[in-house]
Amino acid sequence: MIAAVTEAVESMRVRDVPEPRDPAEGEVVVRPGAVGICGSDFHFFEGRLSEHAGGSGFPRIQGHEVGATVESVGPGSVLKTGQLVALFPLTACGHCYPCRIGRMNVCVNFSLIGVHEDGGLQEQLLIREAQVFPIDVASPVLAALVEPVSIAMRAVHRARIGEGEHVVVLGAGPIGQALLVAAQDRGAEVLVVDPLTDRLEIAKGLGAETVPWTTAEEVVGAAREWSPDGGPQVAIDATGVQAAVEAAVDMVCSAGRMVQVGMSGDSIDLRLGSLTEKEIDVLGVACCGTGEFGEAVDLVERNADRLARLVSHEFDLSEAPKALEFAMHNPRDVMKVVIRNP
Ligand SMILES: [Zn+2]
Ligand SMILES: [Zn+2]
């Protein structure tokens, strides 16, 4: 069978690899039909993932946003051959501190498919059945959206977003748009901020208010004007850009929550008084747990048509290196690139 193998830094090649062995009890072999590409794939490809995040593991088959069909199952499995599934990408150790308190998504010994172990950019993948979530949607492309949506699900949980609250999302890429849909699903009003008009148009189409990113001052002013309580209850950064993060902390109302979803190794300048005077919660988000992944499956099933708009480009598995390069070098035109294996 063929796979897109990342053999070294910035070197991906489509080549033959051995087929997986038969699944044992608790295991499944799936056939990935669609794999979404995101920023963390670029980081891995460019060798910029920190060692903690599994950055040094070449050769590796990437792909952690996977929609697949069940190919064969181990003894006693409840899954059926041919069933459409989304793959939960993470395994946790179960005994470290975060695992013991039910936060396996930040397990200190975590393992991610596509990073620490081989992922979806291949014709077949052997995986633990616990990571396989059946989904009722029309195509594996929609199933591949569950993983990015699950990050948004984690964020709205962390933010404790409630009915009628005002939420600002900074950044209108796929995660920002997923945050919009997940926050709306909890009954929130959502304002989306981004410098790119095309992205704001998509957010508008999904029912958001929008404000173009100009300067931090202007955006903070617009967000405060839009919120009846002098600022949004929740601001979520999906950019990892310093000015946006600072604006998010600045705009939230007293007793509000600021949620950091965008990843970055950069430092930021924060006025400490913003934390104490307003007593805001600053909450980080990383991946999600299995409960939230299940909720993301449900959200994608109920919003399949709306979320389908996030897929901007599709490539065949044989063109995987081209797809990755295209996504990396055309950030303004690309929403979500999906690699398909028909
Ligand atoms: Zn991703
Ligand atoms: Zn652990």
Side-chain angles (χ1 to χ4, degrees):
M1 65 173 193
I2 67 158
V5 184
T6 305
E7 297 181 318
V9 172
E10 289 184 31
S11 167
M12 181 188 277
R13 198 160 65 91
V14 177
R15 63 168 164 87
D16 271 313
V17 296
E19 289 190 10
R21 60 172 168 76
D22 288 338
E25 196 173 336
E27 293 177 335
V28 182
V29 171
V30 298
R31 182 170 284 275
V35 177
I37 297 298
C38 82
S40 61
D41 291 305
F42 309 157
H43 288 191
F44 185 89
F45 183 70
E46 292 178 324
R48 291 193 286 121
L49 269 195
S50 67
E51 228 159 85
H52 170 74
S56 51
F58 299 116
R60 176 66 64 225
I61 297 170
Q62 294 188 237
H64 60 276
E65 303 180 1
V66 187
T69 48
V70 175
E71 179 81 2
S72 58
V73 299
S77 171
V78 295
L79 292 167
K80 291 182 184 65
T81 306
Q83 194 165 15
L84 190 59
V85 295
L87 301 187
F88 179 64
L90 188 138
T91 3
C93 75
H95 55 72
C96 70
Y97 168 69
C99 280
R100 291 200 309 274
I101 62 162
R103 289 172 63 174
M104 53 102 76
N105 57 307
V106 281
C107 169
V108 297
N109 305 305
F110 78 110
S111 176
L112 272 177
I113 63 165
V115 177
H116 308 91
E117 48 195 293
D118 286 340
L121 288 178
Q122 53 183 331
E123 290 186 292
Q124 293 183 57
L125 171 65
L126 177 74
I127 190 162
R128 287 167 286 277
E129 183 167 354
Q131 290 175 264
V132 178
F133 284 65
I135 181 167
D136 183 15
V137 286
S139 89
V141 174
L142 287 160
L145 292 176
V146 171
E147 200 279 338
V149 167
S150 75
I151 314 285
M153 199 53 83
R154 177 74 188 154
V156 301
H157 275 199
R158 293 278 281 157
R160 311 183 299 278
I161 291 171
E163 185 80 34
E165 287 197 316
H166 283 64
V167 176
V168 173
V169 174
L170 294 118
I175 296 283
Q177 309 282 355
L179 285 163
L180 159 62
V181 173
Q184 284 172 332
D185 200 56
R186 290 174 75 106
E189 301 289 324
V190 186
L191 175 74
V192 175
V193 182
D194 197 279
L196 298 178
T197 314
D198 291 356
R199 295 191 160 197
L200 292 182
E201 285 304 316
I202 294 175
K204 245 182 226 168
L206 292 169
E209 296 284 327
T210 61
V211 163
W213 174 271
T214 45
T215 63
E217 292 70 28
E218 278 186 20
V219 167
V220 170
R224 287 194 179 139
E225 212 163 285
W226 171 75
S227 321
D229 294 304
Q233 279 87 11
V234 178
I236 309 177
D237 174 70
T239 69
V241 174
Q242 179 177 354
V245 177
E246 291 168 12
V249 171
D250 204 15
M251 71 173 63
V252 288
C253 68
S254 282
R257 289 88 74 194
M258 186 274 166
V259 186
Q260 187 60 41
V261 179
M263 291 188 283
S264 167
D266 294 346
S267 301
I268 56 161
D269 256 330
L270 274 191
R271 196 185 140 269
L272 290 176
S274 300
L275 309 184
T276 54
E277 290 151 17
K278 296 195 288 185
E279 205 178 53
I280 62 174
D281 295 356
V282 177
L283 302 156
V285 165
C287 304
C288 75
T290 49
E292 285 147 347
F293 198 82
E295 288 177 38
V297 167
D298 177 62
L299 190 75
V300 171
E301 286 177 344
R302 286 186 289 109
N303 293 274
D305 292 348
R306 306 173 73 215
L307 290 164
R309 298 179 213 173
L310 302 189
V311 178
S312 57
H313 299 80
E314 295 187 10
F315 291 82
D316 193 84
L317 177 60
S318 62
E319 308 171 306
K322 192 174 123 191
L324 197 72
E325 294 280 341
F326 178 80
M328 282 172 72
H329 297 125
N330 296 281
R332 299 177 73 89
D333 304 320
V334 162
M335 180 57 75
K336 173 64 73 185
V337 167
V338 170
I339 296 174
R340 300 202 61 169
N341 186 35

